[in-house]
């Protein structure tokens, strides 16, 4: 099922913006002519990704500095270099995006 997130004009380049749709909170990020929609909260310990830094096609969580790919959600940098116990992080959820004209939709 496709649900509308926002319009392209609602987004500023490289600035994550949070939207609540039904009971889901997501972030939309526009980079040049691409739009990514991800979970609003970090898969590590729930940091609010709205405060994350976007760099290239990655987003860095402000809490512990983990970085995730906006394209596939994979953890691409863990500053601690450890992955067990507290350091473990699943990948970030990335939604499949469809753009119809000015409107941005995700598949849920
Ligand atoms: S909560 Fe995001 S890096 Fe830890």
């Amino acid at each position: 099922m496709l649900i509308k997130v926002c319009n392209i004009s609602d987004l500023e380049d490289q600035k994550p913006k949070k939207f609540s749709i039904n009971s889901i909170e997501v972030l939309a990020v526009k980079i040049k002519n691409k739009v990514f929609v991800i979970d609003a909260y970090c898969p590590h310990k729930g940091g609010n990704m709205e405060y994350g830094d976007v760099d290239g096609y990655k987003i860095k969580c402000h809490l512990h500095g983990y970085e995730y790919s906006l394209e596939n959600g994979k953890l691409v940098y863990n500053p601690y270099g450890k992955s067990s116990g507290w350091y473990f992080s699943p990948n970030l959820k990335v939604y499949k995006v469809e753009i119809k004209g000015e409107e941005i939709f995700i598949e849920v």
Side-chain angles (χ1 to χ4, degrees):
M1 178 175 82
L2 285 181
I3 54 173
K4 183 176 173 182
V5 177
C6 61
N7 292 329
I8 291 175
S9 58
D10 295 326
L11 302 174
E12 283 179 55
D13 214 53
Q14 303 224 348
K15 284 209 171 162
K17 190 166 181 184
K18 191 188 283 185
F19 296 92
S20 296
I21 327 159
N22 301 342
S23 56
I24 312 170
E25 287 189 290
V26 298
L27 286 190
V29 186
K30 179 167 80 75
I31 301 175
K32 294 179 186 152
N33 58 351
K34 288 188 172 179
V35 175
F36 302 94
V37 179
I38 61 174
D39 251 2
Y41 297 98
C42 180
H44 177 228
K45 297 292 173 194
N48 186 343
M49 295 299 262
E50 194 175 13
Y51 304 122
D53 289 324
V54 173
D55 178 22
Y57 291 109
K58 297 177 297 181
I59 187 164
K60 179 180 185 175
C61 178
H62 72 292
L63 274 190
H64 311 111
Y66 284 32
E67 293 179 27
Y68 302 88
S69 163
L70 288 167
E71 297 175 294
N72 58 28
K74 289 202 169 137
L75 176 65
V76 292
Y77 178 67
N78 166 345
Y80 300 97
K82 300 178 191 171
S83 58
S84 62
W86 184 90
Y87 301 97
F88 173 76
S89 175
N91 291 327
L92 176 67
K93 182 167 177 64
V94 174
Y95 291 89
K96 187 168 179 277
V97 171
E98 258 192 56
I99 297 177
K100 295 182 180 182
E102 162 73 4
E103 299 177 304
I104 299 165
F105 296 84
I106 53 171
E107 181 80 48
V108 292

